[in-house]
Amino acid sequence: MAQSNDSLWGGRFESGPSHALAALSKSTHFDWRLASYDLAGTNAHIKALAAAGFLSQDEVSKLQAAISELDDKIKAGEFAPKFEEEDVHAALERGLIEIAGAETAGKVRAGRSRNDQIATLIRSFLLDASDVIESELVSFIEVLMERAKEHGDAVMPGRTHFQHAQPVLLSHHLLAHAWPQVRNLERLSDWRRRAKLSPYGAGALAGNTLGLDPELVAKELGFDGTTQNSMDATSSRDVVAEFAFIASMIGIDLSRFAEEIIAWSTYEFGYVKLHDSFSTGSSIMPQKKNPDIAELARGKAGRLIGNLTGLLSTLKGLPLSYNRDLQEDKEPVFDSVDTLLVTLPAFTGMVATLKFDLERMASLAPLGFALATDVAEWLVKQGVVFRDAHEITGELVKFCEEHSLELHEPTDEQYLSISMHLLPELRSVLSVESAITSRNGAGGTSKSQAEIQLSKLEAFLASREN
């Protein structure tokens, strides 16, 4: 028996697919979310068919009305794919046939393939998703800026290797988490240039012979133009993989901040307290206040990386042109979009409501010999070669460790016993305020530099609105 007429293929087959093949091939459980994009593509394709003389104006009107009616039915939950339908394309063709009739709706498939359709639809979906993700990223950056302004004079320990290194402004630290997300916004903007080219018209792999205008379809769908090579258009998913990379990078950058917040909220650090509405408790320990949002964001980063890795592994061995393996391109990025859109608002809310213990951070800022670099640089200003200054400062740190002193606490005589260059005037730079203020070079932690950062971020965000 021949393949069912409900299928988009099958004329040369004597029997339909086995149940096992049908189950493996089925994609409506995830690609149905592309239905509105498929209908938009069909509407544009109808106009191209009409412009090439394959549809009358009456047929165009009938099909456009059918598309509108079908879209309304889908939104109302009155139309859905049948269990046996392979993909979103098959289900929607059935819907058009039911409304417009087989003779008219049957003409729509001419001049296109599921291969160029799906390559276009996934781009359209991701372009829309990127707009929403960008909006959430902007909100996160704005919250970081607000918290930086709120605590413009607050100081805290800066760390390298997670050890005390040098004092920094809290605002400087917060803004250090804003700039990676700015770069992710720039990556999305750059990605969009490549994504906004329509594969429609590439057909199965070699283009079409019907004289359809792919530029017309691209314009109707809001693309900037068409792809340059029909085989590349249907078989490449680097645009999808690039989006998955950007999504994973966003997640990684959130995860790095999450790791800090998890540490900061511990009793031992005590830098922050989590707001009740953005933390959870324990089912057995009544005293607990857990940083679940930060932990989940850290975990979701692994999920985002996994989506990228899985997609890249799928793509790495595919010959030209279309291969059914490419069905596996959608679920990873669907999941990445969903993951970011549930993570970003929660993470932003958590940061917006953090309560910083400014006194504790300030008290810890100079500890751990965090002003040692200031000693070395003061010596350089006195004419000491940095190699020697580094050695002298190391000797001072060793002395202070042995005698349980901070760097400013040795007597004048003890300073001189370590080095003739350690004069009493050294104490003038051994304060957190001095250390912060003196780091006034570009991108430094001084208050004036933090204000410059804020101005640059505000200008960047304003430029995106124009």
Side-chain angles (χ1 to χ4, degrees), residues 206 394 409:
E409 293 181 330

Side-chain angles (χ1 to χ4, degrees), residues 333-350:
V333 286
F334 288 168
D335 183 76
S336 291
V337 168
D338 294 342
T339 296
L340 285 179
L341 293 184
V342 75
T343 303
L344 278 165
F347 201 95
T348 299
M350 175 186 63

Side-chain angles (χ1 to χ4, degrees), residues 152-156 167-174 436 445-447 450:
D153 296 313
V155 298
M156 66 180 296
V168 296
L169 288 177
L170 172 58
S171 61
H172 189 63
H173 191 114
L174 292 172
I436 295 288
T445 193
S446 69
K447 185 174 181 180

Side-chain angles (χ1 to χ4, degrees), residues 6 15 71 80 84 116 127 134 137 143 146 158 161 188 270 285 321-322 354 359 386 411 430 463:
D6 291 338
S15 66
D71 190 36
E84 64 271 16
D116 60 345
L127 285 164
E134 284 191 356
L137 280 179
V143 162
E146 290 167 7
H161 306 277
L188 282 170
M285 295 172 283
S321 59
Y322 183 84
L354 284 177
E359 290 185 8
F386 185 79
T411 65
L430 293 180
S463 70

Side-chain angles (χ1 to χ4, degrees), residues 169-405:
L169 288 177
L170 172 58
S171 61
H172 189 63
H173 191 114
L174 292 172
L175 294 178
H177 285 295
W179 290 109
Q181 300 299 357
V182 166
R183 293 193 292 275
N184 287 326
L185 287 173
E186 291 172 335
R187 288 184 183 104
L188 282 170
S189 295
D190 191 52
W191 166 84
R192 190 174 283 107
R193 289 191 303 106
R194 289 178 286 282
K196 292 194 76 173
L197 295 177
S198 169
Y200 240 104
L205 78 158
N208 73 83
T209 64
L210 301 181
L212 305 184
D213 183 4
E215 291 289 346
L216 183 157
V217 176
K219 184 176 180 180
E220 285 290 326
L221 294 177
F223 286 92
D224 293 338
T226 62
T227 49
Q228 297 85 356
N229 182 291
S230 60
M231 293 179 73
D232 175 54
T234 58
S235 67
S236 296
R237 292 296 187 274
D238 53 312
V239 166
V240 181
E242 186 179 358
F243 180 91
F245 164 74
I246 297 170
S248 66
M249 199 69 246
I250 293 170
I252 288 168
D253 290 330
L254 289 178
S255 182
R256 294 180 66 198
F257 195 10
E259 178 74 9
E260 292 180 336
I261 292 172
I262 291 164
W264 291 356
S265 64
T266 62
Y267 180 83
E268 289 77 9
F269 269 77
Y271 287 9
V272 298
K273 288 186 178 179
L274 300 162
H275 194 277
D276 287 356
S277 60
F278 288 95
S279 57
T280 65
S282 165
S283 61
I284 191 172
M285 295 172 283
Q287 84 282 9
K288 292 296 293 297
K289 193 179 222 186
N290 298 323
D292 279 23
I293 290 174
E295 291 174 346
L296 287 167
R298 187 174 58 181
K300 298 293 186 185
R303 185 186 188 110
L304 292 163
I305 295 167
N307 289 339
L308 170 62
T309 304
L311 178 55
L312 291 174
S313 297
T314 298
L315 299 178
K316 73 173 182 63
L318 299 186
L320 292 175
S321 59
Y322 183 84
N323 297 272
R324 191 63 182 275
D325 312 50
L326 292 176
Q327 182 170 299
E328 298 301 312
D329 71 333
K330 287 171 281 300
E331 286 182 285
V333 286
F334 288 168
D335 183 76
S336 291
V337 168
D338 294 342
T339 296
L340 285 179
L341 293 184
V342 75
T343 303
L344 278 165
F347 201 95
T348 299
M350 175 186 63
V351 174
T353 56
L354 284 177
K355 183 177 181 181
F356 293 95
D357 189 334
L358 303 182
E359 290 185 8
R360 177 163 176 77
M361 289 192 292
S363 68
L364 293 173
L367 301 185
F369 305 108
L371 301 175
T373 305
D374 296 85
V375 174
E377 291 178 347
W378 181 83
L379 288 168
V380 169
K381 292 174 184 177
Q382 310 312 307
V384 179
V385 175
F386 185 79
R387 179 182 178 86
D388 295 334
H390 191 285
E391 190 74 17
I392 292 167
T393 304
E395 291 292 333
L396 173 59
V397 169
K398 181 180 177 182
F399 178 88
C400 289
E401 279 186 321
E402 291 172 348
H403 294 84
S404 300
L405 300 173

Side-chain angles (χ1 to χ4, degrees), residues 4 105 148 157 286 402-403 439 455:
S4 167
E402 291 172 348
H403 294 84
R439 283 171 171 79
S455 296

